[in-house]
Amino acid sequence: LRGASNSNAFTGPEGDTDDDSSNPPARRKQWIEQVATHPRAYVWHGFMSDEECDHVVRTAEPLMEKSGVIDAKTGEQTFDKIRTSFGAFLPIGYDAVVQRVEERAAEWAMVPPSNQEQLHVLRYTVGQQYADHWDAFDQSIKDKINYENGRQRLATILMYLNDVEAKPT
């Protein structure tokens, strides 16, 4: 979820910033909330600063393309109505901000950045979706897939880069 930092500097994993001023580093409010036990699911409030979120959005915007899926029979990328978003992959260590976010995610998931997938930034507009799906591949297809961007997932970390207003139900 978006952070609550008032600083214009980027914020590190401990809330420290790269601000060169003589003031002490700004800290953003962070806390971890367990939201489920099976499967284990947590929300790390304040995982990214507002500045980091804005940077990732700006960096990914010119790279956005229609999102695809992996065909369950062939292992090839294809397009399907279950996924209607646009997305962009940011290479591992793309820049200092992306690298800092990846390192924070690595600490959280206990998976080094070298074993992570590239940061996948998704954009959804009104009516777009990614319907229910598995985040792992069946054994019968795993040898057909081109794994340029990782292997089977051990963990999934979702980072919300903006705040959306909930519509009343």
Side-chain angles (χ1 to χ4, degrees), residues 72-129:
K73 293 182 179 146
T74 67
E76 298 292 321
Q77 182 170 344
T78 187
F79 299 101
D80 191 289
K81 64 184 178 187
I82 69 161
R83 187 175 201 179
T84 57
S85 62
F86 287 86
F89 286 99
L90 299 181
I92 298 212
Y94 181 79
D95 62 23
V97 176
V98 170
Q99 186 173 7
R100 190 168 45 247
V101 171
E102 290 166 341
E103 289 170 358
R104 197 174 307 140
E107 279 186 46
W108 175 245
M110 295 181 280
V111 176
S114 60
N115 290 355
Q116 294 176 14
E117 292 181 40
Q118 296 174 350
L119 195 60
H120 192 192
V121 182
L122 298 171
R123 180 183 66 213
Y124 292 89
T125 60
V126 175
Q128 288 186 317
Q129 67 169 358

Side-chain angles (χ1 to χ4, degrees), residues 7-10 16-26:
S7 170
N8 288 329
F10 291 115
D16 52 318
T17 68
D18 59 1
D19 186 349
D20 288 341
S21 72
S22 59
N23 296 327

Side-chain angles (χ1 to χ4, degrees), residues 69-78 134 136-147 151-152:
V69 297
I70 301 296
D71 184 284
K73 293 182 179 146
T74 67
E76 298 292 321
Q77 182 170 344
T78 187
W134 295 100
F137 299 110
D138 186 81
Q139 288 295 106
S140 64
I141 191 170
K142 72 177 186 69
D143 293 331
K144 298 177 185 177
I145 296 172
N146 178 357
Y147 286 107
R151 289 244 181 251
Q152 292 281 33

Side-chain angles (χ1 to χ4, degrees), residues 17-36:
T17 68
D18 59 1
D19 186 349
D20 288 341
S21 72
S22 59
N23 296 327
R27 298 240 181 233
R28 67 184 182 279
K29 186 174 181 182
Q30 298 183 61
W31 72 98
I32 296 171
E33 172 188 7
Q34 184 171 10
V35 294

